[in-house]
């Protein structure tokens, strides 16, 4: 493999890993925001729930192919933590900070374009910021690189 092919492959792998991570984060983030908003919870409780669910869904989606590969649950859990913790954490910091700084976004309500637009924009921004983080980690054999062999 040439240096250029390796470089392109690293970026493709990082993008794929980030999209995978984004899926779990988005499910948890949206579900947490919807639950918190529907119940009229304050910003802090809603954000905490969103973050907890993002990690739960992110790790769960990572563990699926590991468990399908025949790895025991007790072994799969630390692999998922090693694979996704940094990626999910970066995404959660970015997307929650973004939604919190948009005036009125957290209080807009589920029927509001401001609520959904700011949430969607926060996830896009989190993806853009997290891709280079994942590429850096994968290049060092960390992050998603530790789980990649189970995806085949």
């Amino acid at each position: 493999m040439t240096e250029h092919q390796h470089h392109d492959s690293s970026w493709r792998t990082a993008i794929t890993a980030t999209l995978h991570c984004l899926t779990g984060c988005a499910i948890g983030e949206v579900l947490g925001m919807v639950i918190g908003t529907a119940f009229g919870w304050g910003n802090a409780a809603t954000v905490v729930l969103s973050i907890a669910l993002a990690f739960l869904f992110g790790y769960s989606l990572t563990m699926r192919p590991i468990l399908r590969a025949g790895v025991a649950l007790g072994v799969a859990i630390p692999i998922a933590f090693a694979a996704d913790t940094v990626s999910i954490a970066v995404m959660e910091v970015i997307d929650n900070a973004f939604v919190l700084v948009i005036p009125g976004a957290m209080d807009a309500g589920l029927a509001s374009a401001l609520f959904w637009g700011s949430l969607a924009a926060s996830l896009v921004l989190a993806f853009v910021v997290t891709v280079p983080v994942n590429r850096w980690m994968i290049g060092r054999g960390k992050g998603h690189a530790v789980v990649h062999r189970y995806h085949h």
Side-chain angles (χ1 to χ4, degrees):
M1 179 180 289
T2 69
E3 179 63 31
H4 179 69
Q5 288 171 323
H6 177 69
H7 179 75
D8 289 347
S9 174
S10 295
W11 279 109
R12 271 195 301 276
T13 303
I15 289 168
T16 301
T18 307
L19 283 171
H20 178 266
C21 184
L22 180 66
T23 302
C25 285
I27 292 168
E29 191 73 28
V30 170
L31 187 58
M33 291 289 178
V34 167
I35 291 169
T37 301
F39 286 119
W41 292 355
N43 291 351
T46 300
V47 168
V48 168
L49 177 62
S50 294
I51 291 169
L53 290 174
F55 275 95
L56 176 71
F57 281 97
Y59 289 143
S60 296
L61 290 177
T62 296
M63 287 191 338
R64 271 186 24 196
I66 298 169
L67 294 171
R68 270 197 313 256
V71 175
L73 181 62
V75 176
I77 291 171
I79 292 170
F81 285 5
D84 283 347
T85 298
V86 171
S87 184
I88 295 170
V90 170
M91 282 196 172
E92 288 306 298
V93 166
I94 299 300
D95 67 36
N96 282 290
F98 183 86
V99 171
L100 287 170
V101 300
I102 301 298
M106 290 292 291
D107 300 319
L110 297 178
S112 167
L114 175 61
F115 175 84
W116 291 105
S118 63
L119 186 55
S122 76
L123 293 170
V124 170
L125 180 61
F127 173 80
V128 169
V129 171
T130 307
V131 168
V133 172
N134 280 333
R135 183 181 182 280
W136 182 83
M137 291 180 59
I138 290 165
R140 281 146 188 80
K142 301 192 182 307
H144 195 75
V146 300
V147 75
H148 188 68
R149 65 182 164 172
Y150 299 104
H151 283 264
H152 301 294

